Every structure is written in structure tokens, then in C-alpha cells.
Amino acid sequence: MIDPMIKSAWVTLGGDRALLGRLVCVERPGALIARLPVQRLARACVGTCALAAAELGALRAGLDSVPRAVVDDGAVVTAFHSERLLRIDGRAPVNFAPLSRWWRAAYGWVRTHANYPHHRRRLLGALGLPDDAGPEDVERVLLERSALEVEEAVYAAGGLAVALRTPGQWAAHPQGVEVARRPLVERVAIGAPSGRQLPPLERGSGPLLPAAGLRVLDLTRVIAGPVATRTLALLGADVLRVDAPELPELADQHADTGFGKRSATLELTADSRVLEELLASADVVVTGYRPGALDRYGLSPEALAERYPGLIVAQLSAWGAYGPWGERRGFDSLVQVATGIAATEGSTMEPGALPVQALDHGTGYLLAAGVLRSLTERSRDGRGRLVRLALARTAHWLTTEAGRDPRPGGPEYEGPEAWLTERDSPLGRLRYARPPVSFTGGPADWATPPVPYGSSPATWS
């Protein structure tokens, strides 16, 4: 029997219910221990993506039936820990900076995010502290202010801090109300019909790559967006990640999510001609910046659809492209704080957290699934698609729509070792999580390891 979470995600993406029978789940209970059904969410997101990949592959290869998709909790749980399990020449990654943590305020709790240097400076500036201030200085200042006061002051300075809320408080918050009104995945056809089609796949001895020949312009950062584009790269897409040269990605995050991609830097204003050349040949544009941030570069969905009919535009944000928080920055850890997850997973003594960054990873796989299904739909009507997801909406799915984890019987999860592998790379010897998206005849690993940040030319392969 298909889990209702998988069914709801697949139907939201416009998938044919009859194809759900092509998905096989290997459940390993107790791999992700939490009060909320986070393991079910992880399985649903990856399973939906695997089914969408198998569907597109069958269509392009002219197969009589869709290959069987398999989602194994062992692979899923390991992949959802990918940034923690990565090793670079034996070194463990650094995932959170010293000022990215929980703090007691004069009233309530507040969580800050200061992994990037510019976010750290803005946080300290909002608190009236010098750039060389440490955790003890921040702690002293926060004990003099309420959590909500800190949230607003840091936001006004362009930094990141969120006050702890209960599920009820978030449900009554104007942004929580807006989030609850939206579908898990927002999908709409955009632009005029075009002749854009992906060529048929040749059925040879190699793996079935549903996204072969696809060009994906990756304008994302941190985890969720890069997970989506990393998945498209696994499936054969030519993924070019582009970053602004003045805002480099954190090295360990770049390594974890850079498999199968190339990495270039581009000043969007000064290099507008290069950007237009990339867009003219792209099939998909994936953005992960806060809503509206890229519009001034002509990268709004409406502008893109007008200039490039048939283009698939996939957008990811923290809070959604609507409501009073629609233009705010955010990350998985902060969305957990605002939406009541941290309160649910915590105790009377202190807040808690999900065992993995499930909002990031889960939303990333759903975003990739949305792109794959959009390509399948474009093959029928020639029209481009806008696909939108928000971490806060994924959180709503987990907290209010998922129900309870039934914890069925099945093989135990005995650790990540069976789903880890190693390879050499330009960054060093890597130990990393194998991709969890799997279907009969599909790829077992990425074709290439991550490359050094900014080392690729800003051109398609």
C-alpha cells in the first residue's frame, strides 16, 4: 500500500495515480527518531522524485511501461545526512558557525544564522556589537532583549534571527496563515507554446538518463536548491551553477552539493550578455534566492517566460513568495523555529530540532520532481512551467498534514556505511552519500565529482 504522503505529493505534482504502483518502498523503521513523521516525509520526497524520473525516462526512451522506482529508507536517511557524513581527505565538514545557534533572550528563545560573513556582520551590527564580538558578547546582549525584539531588529539590518514559536502561534501568524492556504507545490503553465522538446533517448547499454541533453542554470545556494540541481545532474543534465564572485559559497557545502555540476562565477550586471547567452540555450532555470531578489536582472518568471517560451522556471524560498514574510531570508534551521517544529521536538527546558535538515533535503527532491514532471507535461503542450516550493510549506505538510508515523515492521537501519562510497576528486579524496533516487536501469552515482568553486567557464558543455 502506497503511503498517503507519497500519494499526496505525486498528485500535487499532477502525476498519474496509476503510476504509483510502479513505486516500491523498502521501509527501515526507527532510522530517523523524532516526534514528527520526518522519515515518512523523507521517503515521500525521494520516492516522488524517483517516480518522476522513471516516468520521464520512459517517455523519452519510448518504453512500453515506466521502470520500477525504488525508494530505500537506508539510502534516503543517509542522503538526508549528506552534509554531515561528507569527508574530504578524512576531514569532517563544518556545518554551523559559532554564532549560528540557540540563545536565551530576556523573554523566549531565539535562533540566529551567521554562517556567511555578511550575515554575521549584520547580526552583530543589529545588536550594537563590533565585528570581532564573540558568543559571550551576543549572549550578554540577548539576555537584555525579548526574542521578538531581536527577530525584528536583526531582520531590519538584513541579518537572520527568528524567535521560537509554538505550532499554534505560527498557525495564527499572518505568514503561517498564508502558507497554509497554498498547495505543497505551486505549478502553473507560463508563456506561449513553443517547439522546445528533448530529443528521444537512445536505448543502449548505459544507464537510462531522463535528463540527458537538458541544460540547467543553477542559481541556488546552501542545501535545498543545490540538492535539486545535484539530482538533475545525477539524471544526466548539464548543470551549470553560477554564483556572484563577491559572495562565494561555503566550501564544504559546495563540495557536498556539487556532484555532477560545473561551477562558474558571474557578475549578473556586468556580464549580462553572458547571462542572456546562457538563458537562451537553457531548458531549466532554478533559483534559490529570496523572492524578488533576482527580478532586477530580468530573471522574474514572467520576464523569462516572455523571452524564452518553453523554459521551465523552478523557484525555492524559505517562507514563500507571498505574505508579510515573503521577502525575508531564511534557512531550514530558522523555519523549524518559526513553524513550531523546534517547540514540538524540544522539551520544557529547551527547544529541539529534527534529526536532519529535512525541510532542505525534502524540498530539494520535491523541486527536482517538479522540474521532471514539468518536462513531461511540456512534451504534450510545448509550454513552459513555473514550479514554486517553500521550506515553510514543506514544514506545514510535516506538522499538520502528514499524520503519525505508523512505524511498520521491516529491516532495521544499521547505519550509513552500506550507502556511502568514496572517490578521488579535484577537492581531495571524498567519502559521500550515494544518491537515493533509484529506478530500474537508472544511474547509480554521479558521472563526475564536484569541481573547485568558480573553476568552470560560464558556458554550456
Side-chain angles (χ1 to χ4, degrees), residues 21 45 77 114 138 159 170 190 262 302 392 402 405 411 439:
C45 295
V77 169
V138 175
W170 177 248
I190 56 173
R262 292 176 300 116
E302 298 76 15
D405 190 339
F439 57 93

Side-chain angles (χ1 to χ4, degrees), residues 35 102 164 340-354:
R35 293 191 175 99
W102 283 107
L164 177 68
I341 292 175
T344 299
E345 296 293 338
S347 67
T348 56
M349 300 297 295
E350 60 183 5
L354 296 174

Side-chain angles (χ1 to χ4, degrees), residues 7-291:
K7 184 182 297 184
S8 68
W10 182 247
V11 171
T12 298
L13 287 168
D16 182 353
R17 293 172 185 261
L19 291 182
L20 288 168
R22 302 302 297 161
L23 180 63
V24 177
C25 299
V26 179
E27 300 181 3
R28 301 177 187 273
L32 291 176
I33 303 299
R35 293 191 175 99
L36 293 167
V38 62
Q39 189 167 331
R40 286 183 62 208
L41 177 137
R43 183 190 309 131
C45 295
V46 174
T48 300
C49 186
L51 190 56
E55 178 193 33
L56 180 60
L59 174 69
R60 295 188 63 195
L63 302 181
D64 294 332
S65 62
V66 171
R68 186 180 69 168
V70 179
V71 56
D72 189 313
D73 279 4
V76 172
V77 169
T78 303
F80 271 56
H81 283 96
S82 66
E83 73 277 8
R84 305 180 193 181
L85 293 172
L86 178 71
R87 296 294 181 270
I88 306 173
D89 287 332
R91 179 184 64 81
V94 176
N95 291 311
F96 286 100
L99 299 187
S100 297
R101 48 167 275 193
W102 283 107
W103 311 86
R104 280 189 181 275
Y107 182 79
W109 288 85
V110 64
R111 177 141 188 158
T112 55
H113 196 289
N115 286 0
Y116 290 100
H118 58 294
H119 290 158
R120 184 182 187 277
R121 289 193 299 271
R122 293 168 185 172
L123 170 66
L124 293 174
L127 300 178
L129 293 170
D131 287 349
D132 61 352
E136 65 283 353
D137 301 305
V138 175
E139 186 173 38
R140 172 177 50 80
V141 171
L142 292 184
L143 285 172
E144 299 172 353
R145 306 185 185 183
S146 73
L148 289 174
E149 179 187 353
V150 171
E151 177 182 275
E152 289 304 316
V154 174
Y155 164 67
L160 293 129
V162 173
L164 177 68
R165 289 173 173 82
T166 65
Q169 289 170 330
W170 177 248
H173 190 279
Q175 189 64 29
V177 172
E178 285 294 323
V179 167
R181 294 177 54 241
R182 308 287 173 141
L184 175 63
V185 181
E186 295 184 78
R187 303 164 50 253
V188 62
I190 56 173
S194 74
R196 286 189 188 231
Q197 293 291 337
L198 292 175
L201 293 176
E202 295 185 9
R203 297 165 63 179
S205 58
L208 179 63
L209 299 173
L214 190 73
R215 288 175 168 175
V216 178
L217 187 60
D218 180 358
L219 303 175
T220 68
R221 294 172 72 80
V222 196
I223 297 178
V227 163
T229 50
R230 181 181 70 182
T231 302
L232 296 173
L234 168 74
L235 299 172
D238 177 10
V239 179
L240 178 64
R241 173 162 169 170
V242 172
D243 287 274
E246 70 274 12
L247 293 175
E249 179 62 284
L250 301 174
D252 290 344
Q253 287 184 166
H254 171 74
D256 176 53
T257 59
F259 286 88
K261 308 179 189 179
R262 292 176 300 116
S263 170
T265 58
L266 198 66
E267 175 52 60
L268 297 185
T269 300
D271 299 321
S272 59
R273 180 184 58 81
V274 177
L275 177 63
E276 287 300 315
E277 290 175 353
L278 291 172
L279 288 167
S281 299
D283 295 280
V284 179
V285 175
V286 185
T287 67
Y289 292 79
R290 61 189 176 88

